[in-house]
Amino acid sequence: MNVFLNKWYKNHALVYKILLFVVTTLFIVYLFPKTGKFRYSFEKGKPWQSENLYAPFNFAIKKSQEEIKKEQVEIENNSLVYFDVTTGIKEAVLTDYSARFNQVFNDSTHFNIENSVLFKKGEALINNLYNAGVLNLDYNYADDRPVILANSNKVQKKIQYGHLFELTKLREHVENNLGNAISVDAKKRMVSIFFDVIQPNIKLNKTLTEKALEEELSRVSLTRGRVEKDQLIISKGQVIEENQYDILSSLKSEYESQIWNTSNYNWVLVAYTLLVALTLLMLLLFLSKYRHEVYLNNTKVTFIFFNIALMVLLTTLVINFNSQYIYVVPLCIMPLVLKAFFDARLGLFTHVLTVLLLGFIVPNSYEYMFLQIIAGMVTILTVSELYKRANLFISVGQITFIYIIAYFAFFVIHEGQLTGLKLETFGLFILCGLATLFVQPLIYIYEKIFGLVSDVSLLELSDTNSKLLKELANRAPGTFHHSLNVANLAEASANEIGANAMLIRVGALYHDIGKMKNPTYFTENQSTGINPHDELSYKESAKIIIEHTLDGIEIAKKYNLPDRVIDFIRTHHGTSLVYYFYMKEKAREEEVDVKDFSYPGPKPFSKETAILMMCDSVEAASKSLKEPTSTKINEFVENIIDKQVESGQFLNADITFKEIQSIKKVLKRKLANIYHLRIEYPE
């Protein structure tokens, strides 16, 4: 059991990477569309570029959505409408009419032959209305719409909707049928009577009507015709007309559905998994060979894999919503983020791999991949200092411009003309550019979640008005001044060999913050001429000097400084000796334990930490130079750095002898400038 646990502990980083690799692969495959990939690309009105295509199996030609919708609309406009007829209404209305007529025309002046004729006209009009049927509402159907009238005795009659009478037309209908032979007063009285007595006897049967419509719609065929196996579909070079386009679309749909609905499903799933795994494996191999420091850090590897999965997820969600908005996804955020935390090469490599993965799920994959890869290259090449807001806005504008130019070129190639160019797509590119500006807050979020440090945070930390550096300046002004000098030397050295100048400057500013705990025990802060070391043993003095690195780590953690900055505090003395007190103790005692006078380390493990160690030692020791000359400074710099090399302080740092020589030259030149040395002319 112990052997197993030991093996697990030794290889836990590798086991974690394997689990991360597997989980990310399965997640991306899960996001992929649940269809096969049709091997041919085609567009209506364009020549068929592949070889002659024969039907691989029997399949039906599917109707387009427009055709199906047209048929459905036609059925909806012509399907039967069912109305219920209430019996007995006509007889009741006639009875009410007779009574009402007698009331209205009861004065003696109107009891004449004319009234009798008028009564009969009204009675005939009522009979005509109810022979057709009186509607309770205006249903706005077309006049030629077929309707079925059914009464309680199940007697049905089929007529057109226009034959039914709508109550809204009652006044007009009555006036037209009475004619102009009667007086205006009599006509008004008749209209009033009809409004009082006429009642609807027909009402829509919604249930039967909807059921009839559903039955009609269910009989709509989704296909038209069939293509038999081995039948020639289209020849090479033939222009894809509407009929061929429908056949090709049907074949594509049938092909994809057959793959995922048969036993081949598992094989396609395995194929997708292999391709995704191969892509992610290339990323791990790249990290292992060219970015080994990143590869060894599981947090950083997780961060990179998370960004890839996030971009695939966002793209999938947009495609599922509406594939026309595919270019709204700000894919260029990823190379920007990776460049901010790592470097341009890693950002571009990861971006290209992500675009290759997205090629499986986006429409017009070649066009999409071309646009995104070009945009990613422009992103890497144009964004130099992300922490400068103006640079970000300029770069986003350039990226948007490249999108528009490339899309315009593809459109002209495909269409051969400018008519039909959709300006809405250009708007999507502008939205994508605006979304890319979200990279600034996103970097801040990533810093908090993954504990990473970007140039934006480093710029904030380099502000000498920050709370911690102000406290250092107040409590240990000599140390603060020393840190500023070291920062200038280290930054110049980093620029000379291509190291991270911003990171090393911040590391230099904070590397000696531990001296705040006992500032007077360090010579640069002793302004009174009193040396507290005179009251201590050499071993105690060495202990206080050594502990400033541990105190610095404690203070840095208290102020939440990033680990990359704390590394400079931890390593700026490596495992070197507190040489002055060691030699004093050795002169007093023959046997001296070197460990009591050695810094705990670790040794510098990067170019930046190695540069800081050199600059810190040279700047501190340069204060002891008396009457400095160019020769003295050259020998002085050579001796200090050579001793560090000989003691093996730079064995773990990725720095070459050539780079060390370049750093020496920078330090010699800078120190000569500090001491205002002039060329020594012969007397």
Side-chain angles (χ1 to χ4, degrees), residues 235-480:
S235 303
K236 183 177 182 180
Q238 183 179 350
V239 176
I240 303 174
E241 297 178 353
E242 186 172 357
N243 186 49
Q244 284 88 3
Y245 182 81
D246 291 341
I247 295 174
L248 289 170
S249 299
S250 301
L251 176 60
K252 179 180 179 181
S253 176
E254 189 69 23
Y255 175 84
E256 292 174 349
S257 63
Q258 278 194 9
I259 283 182
W260 289 83
N261 291 325
T262 63
S263 59
N264 291 334
Y265 173 87
N266 292 331
W267 284 109
V268 174
L269 198 63
V270 169
Y272 269 141
T273 305
L274 288 175
L275 290 175
V276 175
L278 184 62
T279 305
L280 297 180
L281 181 61
M282 292 303 103
L283 177 59
L284 286 177
L285 292 176
F286 174 84
L287 294 176
S288 177
K289 187 170 183 179
Y290 296 106
R291 298 293 182 272
H292 198 65
E293 179 187 350
V294 176
Y295 176 79
L296 294 176
N297 190 320
N298 281 341
T299 301
K300 294 179 179 179
V301 176
T302 304
F303 173 72
I304 295 170
F305 275 61
F306 172 80
N307 274 276
I308 295 174
L310 178 63
M311 286 302 163
V312 176
L313 174 62
L314 288 177
T315 306
T316 304
L317 292 176
V318 171
I319 289 176
N320 290 339
F321 175 72
N322 191 335
S323 61
Q324 293 181 354
Y325 299 138
I326 185 66
Y327 288 109
V328 174
V329 180
L331 203 62
C332 289
I333 278 184
M334 187 167 65
L336 281 174
V337 168
L338 295 181
K339 184 180 180 181
F341 288 115
F342 306 109
D343 60 83
R345 195 187 215 184
L346 175 57
L348 181 59
F349 189 84
T350 307
H351 175 74
V352 171
L353 291 181
T354 305
V355 172
L356 291 177
L357 289 175
L358 294 176
F360 289 111
I361 62 177
V362 298
N364 300 322
S365 56
Y366 174 77
E367 176 182 329
Y368 177 85
M369 290 191 292
F370 184 91
L371 285 174
Q372 295 295 1
I373 290 174
I374 290 295
M377 291 179 178
V378 172
T379 303
I380 293 297
L381 294 174
T382 57
V383 181
S384 54
E385 295 171 322
L386 190 59
Y387 54 85
K388 294 183 179 180
R389 289 172 294 180
N391 287 357
L392 179 60
F393 278 97
I394 293 171
S395 297
V396 167
Q398 292 172 334
I399 293 166
T400 305
F401 181 71
I402 291 297
Y403 270 129
I404 292 174
I405 291 296
Y407 174 78
F408 175 80
F410 267 110
F411 183 86
V412 173
I413 290 172
H414 290 324
E415 301 297 329
Q417 56 185 357
L418 295 180
T419 56
L421 185 64
K422 295 181 179 179
L423 297 179
E424 295 86 355
T425 307
F426 296 151
L428 297 180
F429 292 136
I430 294 173
L431 287 177
C432 178
L434 294 176
T436 305
L437 295 175
F438 184 70
V439 68
Q440 287 281 19
L442 186 63
I443 287 174
Y444 176 79
I445 294 171
Y446 279 154
E447 286 178 338
K448 299 305 179 185
I449 295 177
F450 292 94
L452 301 172
V453 183
S454 68
D455 286 348
V456 179
S457 293
L458 292 177
L459 181 66
E460 294 174 355
L461 291 171
S462 66
D463 184 6
T464 53
N465 289 317
S466 65
K467 184 178 179 180
L468 182 54
L469 290 180
K470 272 190 173 181
E471 188 177 350
L472 176 63
N474 292 331
R475 297 178 61 179
T479 299
F480 178 73

Side-chain angles (χ1 to χ4, degrees), residues 201-234:
N201 69 329
I202 294 179
K203 183 179 180 181
L204 177 68
N205 190 322
K206 191 174 181 180
T207 303
L208 286 177
T209 302
E210 290 180 351
K211 184 177 180 181
L213 177 60
E214 289 177 3
E215 290 179 356
E216 290 289 330
L217 291 176
S218 65
R219 288 197 287 267
V220 174
S221 175
L222 302 180
T223 62
R224 51 174 178 82
R226 286 179 59 81
V227 176
E228 301 298 326
K229 184 178 179 181
D230 297 329
Q231 179 180 334
L232 177 64
I233 297 176
I234 193 167

Side-chain angles (χ1 to χ4, degrees), residues 630 676-682:
S630 296
H676 307 291
L677 297 180
R678 298 179 181 274
I679 299 173
E680 298 177 3
Y681 295 100

Side-chain angles (χ1 to χ4, degrees), residues 537-547 578 581 596-597:
S537 66
Y538 300 131
K539 187 180 294 186
E540 289 174 331
S541 295
K543 183 180 179 182
I544 292 175
I545 299 297
I546 290 170
E547 283 183 346
V578 183
F581 292 112
D596 294 334
F597 295 87

